[in-house]
Amino acid sequence: MYTSPYPNLLKPFKLRGLTVKNRVISAPNMLFHTVAHRPTDYYIRYLEHKARGGAGIVHLGEIAVCDGGNHTPQMYSSDDNLPLFGEMAQVIHEHGALAGVELTHGGFNVKEQHNIDKDKMYGPVAGVNHFGTAVRAMTKADMDYIADKFAETAEFWLRAGFDSIMLHMGHGWIFAQFMSPIINTRSDEYGGSLENRLRFPLQVLKRVRDVIGNRPPLIMRMSGSERDPNGFTVEDMTVFAEQAQEYVDLIEVSSENFAYIFATPYSPLSQNLDLAEHIKSSGRIRIPVYTIGSILSAPQAEEIIASGKADGVSMSRALIADPYLPKKAALGIPNRPCLRCLNCTDSDNRSKHFICSVNPLAGREERLGFGDTPPEKARVAKRVMIIGGGPAGIQAAIAAAERGHSVRLYDRNSALGGWLRFADIDTHKAEVRQFKDWLERELAASGANVVLSTEVTRREIAEYAPDTIIAALGSVPAVPNIKGIEAALHATAAYFAPEKIKGETIAVIGGGLIGVEVGIYLQNRGKKVTVFEISPEICADSGDMLKLGILKSIADSGLTVKTGVKLSEIPSGYDTVLYATGMKPNDSFYFEIANLAPQVILVGDAKKPGRIDGAIHTGYFAATDIQ
């Protein structure tokens, strides 16, 4: 007889008369597939992926309720778009999930370029925000207008077929601004005391409930604390939750402060659970309280719910890395780990081109499918040789074997993983280590043959006679041309040759991701480390969100960073000098073997040095291109 491995996580419940099949919410997140104020088919299939994966509620994210409240391109809640929104709800329903939509208003933090009527750009107080947008202070009439727009928009989305409405009252948007004693310096009945600062958010909740009636569930996303000594506290938000439950049916507790909203590998797991626990344990809240923030696996989520600290979990990036986490939980199968690298958020914001480092299908479901069924088998099984057992080579081997090819992967080292093996040593990289281990397990299950401690030459190629060679040869360090560099070591020696790190004072030449992360690692091990960077910017090769976490880690560790420093020779006065001045493709062997098989494909760092996403994506697509 079947026994659920995660009985608390997978337990169904009723939400205002609707059945929710488990305690997993697919949290709302942006996908910049809004074109001419309409969602693309890619957006619809992206949401379907979450529903196919088994989440109980799947949310469409960040729908601004009106002009003047947009911080991203507005998706119009209009009858012209109704067929597309109806299809969104339909694809979610087809997989047994409830369809939810998150409604927002940016308030003081709007971006001018996404709004038409500049007079409608307002917040609790007047000023110029960090985007350079001038915002005026709201009047009582403005508040009534916003309350009406939230209610009208909620009614529209229910008419479109969505089951529930989430009102975003956290993360620095308009309602959090009103609740913040730091931001809200009004002297009228909407500022000052906590009662006054809660007045407008409660007005909107009441107005929405009055308009949509008793049946549809309302969910409220709120920040449990401002994470600032002068801001609103978790007890303030417990008071708010106690009053809000008159109108809402479930509370998701997040936090203010980007370090807690967009956590990095340096952040603790479940970083907002303390806030949810405080609110739930107050004894004053009678509705479900969910937590969100770095909840990455079914065992972690099960423990949270079983402990009574929260009633359920919302997941965002974990369900991007692996939308099938809930279904896999029911089968006792580990999910593909999220790295908390924030590539999804950074790529989406930077170029509107969504990239998950570990999941090549995310955001491309309309074109590539969902990955929950075996891939289309190759018409003819080929002999595939893969040279290199780093992430690109492993991913290529897994995908090629799944398509029915005969795969043999060679690596010159005695262990797989390539550069990712550093995560076995750096304890701040637990997610990278888990992903490396997951890749190895998937490779073992794929049926591909693995040959270690073997340097591939023309002889091995001739003996195997492959139809396709995938060259995952990796990269090698770029050595700076400065005096005395022969006495220095590459930064990764800190992991792979620690016996060569002499003394207590360490200099690192190069302030990109590798140099800084090695510097933090050594600093946390008791060394005194100084990082020298030639440009004025540290970690220029990282995304903006990840950089926030790295900067905090630099400060927490006490690492010394000197930018704008051009060195003509290695710095003196240090016991050990390391360098991390970029990588270059290790592609010479590729050019030697390019004509030794009908198809030879270069992947990973050997094609273009970069981060994990480049390795995983090129390895995956190389396997799909085997002819």
Side-chain angles (χ1 to χ4, degrees):
M1 182 176 177
Y2 172 77
T3 301
S4 174
Y6 304 106
N8 294 285
L9 180 66
L10 302 176
K11 184 178 181 180
F13 70 104
K14 288 283 189 180
L15 191 65
R16 214 172 260 258
L18 297 180
T19 298
V20 186
K21 64 183 179 181
N22 57 41
R23 305 303 175 100
V24 180
I25 288 178
S26 173
N29 50 61
M30 277 302 297
L31 182 69
F32 280 99
H33 272 289
T34 301
V35 178
H37 308 290
R38 314 188 79 186
T40 66
D41 289 342
Y42 284 83
Y43 211 154
I44 295 172
R45 300 305 165 203
Y46 171 78
L47 292 177
E48 182 178 0
H49 206 172
K50 307 294 184 66
R52 290 172 76 103
I57 304 175
V58 175
H59 277 111
L60 167 64
E62 300 195 5
I63 301 297
V65 298
C66 61
D67 182 49
N70 294 296
H71 58 279
T72 56
Q74 186 175 1
M75 192 182 292
Y76 285 166
S77 301
S78 65
D79 284 352
D80 285 347
N81 287 344
L82 200 58
L84 293 171
F85 300 145
E87 183 64 12
M88 275 185 168
Q90 176 67 16
V91 298
I92 293 170
H93 290 151
E94 286 171 358
H95 303 288
L98 298 187
V101 60
E102 177 193 58
L103 305 186
T104 68
H105 190 291
F108 190 83
N109 289 325
V110 297
K111 290 185 178 180
E112 183 173 0
Q113 65 266 36
H114 299 312
N115 297 277
I116 299 170
D117 187 346
K118 308 310 178 190
D119 185 58
K120 282 191 167 56
M121 296 190 303
Y122 36 57
V125 295
V128 177
N129 66 26
H130 60 286
F131 299 121
T133 301
V135 177
R136 67 173 176 82
M138 292 175 69
T139 65
K140 179 65 169 64
D142 296 328
M143 295 179 207
D144 292 341
Y145 173 76
I146 293 299
D148 286 342
K149 295 306 291 184
F150 267 92
E152 291 170 13
T153 308
E155 193 174 39
F156 170 87
W157 283 91
L158 293 171
R159 183 160 60 91
F162 281 69
D163 303 292
S164 62
I165 304 297
M166 173 182 272
L167 302 181
H168 198 337
M169 295 200 158
H171 292 184
W173 304 131
I174 194 167
F175 302 111
Q177 294 161 22
F178 266 89
M179 290 187 279
S180 168
I182 300 172
I183 298 170
N184 183 356
T185 57
R186 297 175 70 105
S187 58
D188 61 4
E189 68 270 33
Y190 294 96
S193 69
L194 177 62
E195 178 184 7
N196 285 354
R197 289 182 279 116
L198 297 182
R199 194 181 305 277
F200 175 51
L202 290 169
Q203 173 191 345
V204 173
L205 289 174
K206 182 179 187 303
R207 179 65 177 143
V208 172
R209 178 55 76 192
D210 286 346
V211 168
I212 68 173
N214 189 49
R215 293 301 296 171
L218 276 184
I219 298 173
M220 180 174 73
R221 168 177 271 194
M222 60 178 278
S223 294
S225 170
E226 208 160 351
R227 303 284 194 186
D228 187 296
N230 300 310
F232 57 71
T233 67
V234 66
E235 181 53 34
D236 292 337
M237 293 299 98
T238 304
V239 172
F240 177 46
E242 184 178 12
Q243 297 181 45
Q245 67 185 339
E246 181 179 349
Y247 313 108
V248 306
D249 306 288
L250 186 150
I251 299 169
E252 180 204 87
V253 182
S254 183
S255 174
E256 295 295 283
N257 190 321
F258 269 18
Y260 292 87
I261 300 170
F262 297 107
T264 71
Y266 297 97
S267 307
L269 296 176
S270 309
Q271 75 264 16
N272 298 317
L273 181 58
D274 61 321
L275 305 178
E277 180 184 12
H278 182 103
I279 293 169
K280 179 174 167 55
S281 66
S282 69
R284 290 135 56 189
I285 309 302
R286 61 182 182 271
I287 61 176
V289 176
Y290 274 49
T291 182
I292 186 172
S294 294
I295 301 164
L296 304 182
S297 69
Q300 179 193 359
E302 174 73 12
E303 192 282 326
I304 287 170
I305 302 169
S307 71
K309 295 176 181 178
D311 298 297
V313 296
S314 288
M315 297 179 172
S316 179
R317 286 175 286 165
L319 296 185
I320 294 171
D322 195 339
Y324 298 101
L325 187 155
K327 277 189 176 178
K328 289 180 177 179
L331 298 171
I333 300 172
N335 58 287
R336 180 194 290 112
C338 168
L339 303 181
R340 293 199 292 173
C341 64
L342 290 163
N343 197 18
C344 51
T345 301
D346 280 321
S347 63
D348 210 23
N349 282 306
R350 181 176 60 249
S351 63
K352 311 299 183 281
H353 184 235
F354 187 84
I355 296 173
C356 172
S357 291
V358 300
N359 185 356
L361 301 181
R364 288 162 193 82
E365 294 84 355
E366 172 67 13
R367 180 163 56 88
L368 301 175
F370 301 95
D372 57 342
T373 56
E376 181 182 356
K377 294 293 184 181
R379 289 184 296 105
V380 178
K382 300 293 180 72
R383 293 167 63 83
V384 179
M385 170 182 271
I386 298 173
I387 308 173
I394 296 175
Q395 177 64 81
I398 294 167
E402 286 179 341
R403 294 192 62 218
H405 297 297
S406 176
V407 179
R408 186 176 294 179
L409 182 151
Y410 291 82
D411 195 275
R412 63 187 176 186
N413 297 299
S414 60
L416 294 168
W419 287 114
L420 296 190
R421 288 183 291 118
F422 86 95
D424 292 335
I425 301 160
D426 191 337
T427 56
H428 282 114
K429 292 296 182 176
E431 286 85 7
V432 174
R433 184 181 69 254
Q434 290 162 10
F435 179 61
K436 177 184 71 69
D437 294 345
W438 181 86
L439 281 174
E440 290 189 48
R441 289 195 303 270
E442 292 291 302
L443 177 64
S446 73
N449 293 313
V450 176
V451 181
L452 297 177
S453 303
T454 300
E455 185 87 42
V456 172
T457 66
R458 287 172 171 262
R459 186 182 70 182
E460 282 76 23
I461 294 172
E463 289 176 353
Y464 187 58
D467 301 299
T468 297
I469 299 172
I470 295 177
L473 304 167
S475 57
V476 293
V479 182
N481 184 23
I482 61 175
K483 184 179 178 181
I485 196 62
E486 64 277 358
L489 303 168
H490 188 254
T492 52
Y495 306 123
F496 299 125
E499 71 281 358
K500 295 182 178 180
I501 308 298
K502 306 298 184 183
E504 299 300 313
T505 60
I506 313 295
V508 180
I509 304 171
L513 267 176
I514 293 177
V516 169
E517 291 192 328
V518 167
I520 293 171
Y521 168 73
L522 290 172
Q523 185 77 22
N524 286 333
R525 291 177 65 84
K527 305 295 185 181
K528 295 179 180 179
V529 185
T530 301
V531 175
F532 295 89
E533 169 56 35
I534 190 171
S535 76
E537 181 183 4
I538 201 77
C539 292
D541 52 344
S542 76
D544 292 338
M545 294 293 104
L546 180 60
K547 188 182 296 185
L548 289 174
I550 291 172
L551 292 175
K552 183 177 185 302
S553 296
I554 289 172
D556 291 344
S557 69
L559 178 69
T560 300
V561 175
K562 297 184 178 182
T563 57
V565 178
K566 184 177 182 179
L567 298 173
S568 59
E569 60 183 341
I570 64 171
S572 60
Y574 293 92
D575 299 318
T576 300
V577 177
L578 306 174
Y579 63 91
T581 50
M583 306 294 287
K584 58 184 181 179
N586 182 29
D587 57 4
S588 59
F589 190 57
Y590 163 77
F591 289 100
E592 291 181 28
I593 65 173
N595 293 319
L596 297 186
Q599 187 179 29
V600 181
I601 307 173
L602 188 65
V603 299
D605 276 7
K607 183 177 180 68
K608 181 182 179 182
R611 294 164 63 182
I612 292 175
D613 65 309
I616 295 299
H617 285 236
T618 57
Y620 178 85
F621 291 116
T624 65
D625 276 348
I626 295 172
Q627 298 171 353

